Amino acid sequence: MRRIKRGTAILLLGVCLLLAAGCTAVVRDGANTAKEKILNGFNEFLQSVSPYALTRDSKLVGERELGEDSYTGHYTADYRDFSGEEILFGGTSLRRGGGQSLTVAYTLEVTAGSASLYWLEKGTRHPIAADTETGTYAITLSEGDNYIVLAGKSFSGNLSITAA
């Protein structure tokens, strides 16, 4: 989480600097094209670095297969006495190339301990599942941080999730 907060602070500073530069360029060019180019370039930069906030594949309990970007894919895991968090999918962007809507289909089975699956949006947790449950969850991505996270405390059980 500390890494996400630090990264967000750096990204916000970058946005402010680029917006200031963009406003100057717009005045000189007399059109929105320069500002749009700067914003698009910054958005591409955000999308290229945001996967580094995800839990690395080597540190995951299960197997993740990313889809068209770091926001989509499939993950399955069998947990045994797991305590901690895994950031499974997501990223930081102004506008995601694949659109702002995601559907998360999941099966969470808790046999011991506790676990919760949630969407982390700009530091706010939106619960998806907190016990044995199967379902779907619709997400409308906002600008900035959007991550799907599993948190467990002495958690034993299974998780299967597809974000598309």
Side-chain angles (χ1 to χ4, degrees):
M1 293 313 244
R2 185 180 216 192
R3 181 173 46 176
I4 293 173
K5 288 181 184 178
R6 186 178 320 136
T8 301
I10 291 169
L11 293 175
L12 287 176
L13 177 61
V15 167
C16 292
L17 292 173
L18 287 173
L19 288 176
C23 292
T24 304
V26 168
V27 170
R28 274 189 249 135
D29 291 347
N32 264 346
T33 57
K35 184 175 181 179
E36 278 299 311
K37 286 180 183 178
I38 290 170
L39 287 175
N40 288 338
F42 186 66
N43 189 53
E44 288 175 19
F45 168 74
L46 289 175
Q47 288 181 345
S48 70
V49 298
S50 64
Y52 295 106
L54 300 179
T55 302
R56 289 180 293 191
D57 287 342
S58 63
K59 300 285 185 183
L60 289 171
V61 172
E63 296 290 324
R64 174 177 52 204
E65 200 175 301
L66 290 177
E68 65 187 43
D69 57 21
S70 63
Y71 293 86
T72 62
H74 183 71
Y75 179 75
T76 56
D78 295 320
Y79 294 91
R80 300 293 170 247
D81 198 31
F82 172 79
S83 292
E85 290 188 338
E86 293 185 315
I87 303 172
L88 304 173
F89 301 105
T92 301
S93 66
L94 302 176
R95 288 179 301 231
R96 179 176 164 255
Q100 299 306 105
S101 297
L102 284 180
T103 300
V104 178
Y106 62 90
T107 298
L108 176 63
E109 179 184 3
V110 179
T111 57
S114 63
S116 63
L117 184 64
Y118 63 91
W119 163 37
L120 182 64
E121 175 197 27
K122 297 181 188 175
T124 301
R125 291 181 180 204
H126 302 276
I128 297 174
D131 203 354
T132 296
E133 188 177 335
T134 297
T136 58
Y137 186 84
I139 295 174
T140 301
L141 301 170
S142 60
E143 292 179 350
D145 293 339
N146 290 278
Y147 294 96
I148 298 171
V149 182
L150 174 90
K153 186 171 184 181
S154 301
F155 167 48
S156 293
N158 305 299
L159 173 65
S160 176
I161 180 171
T162 300

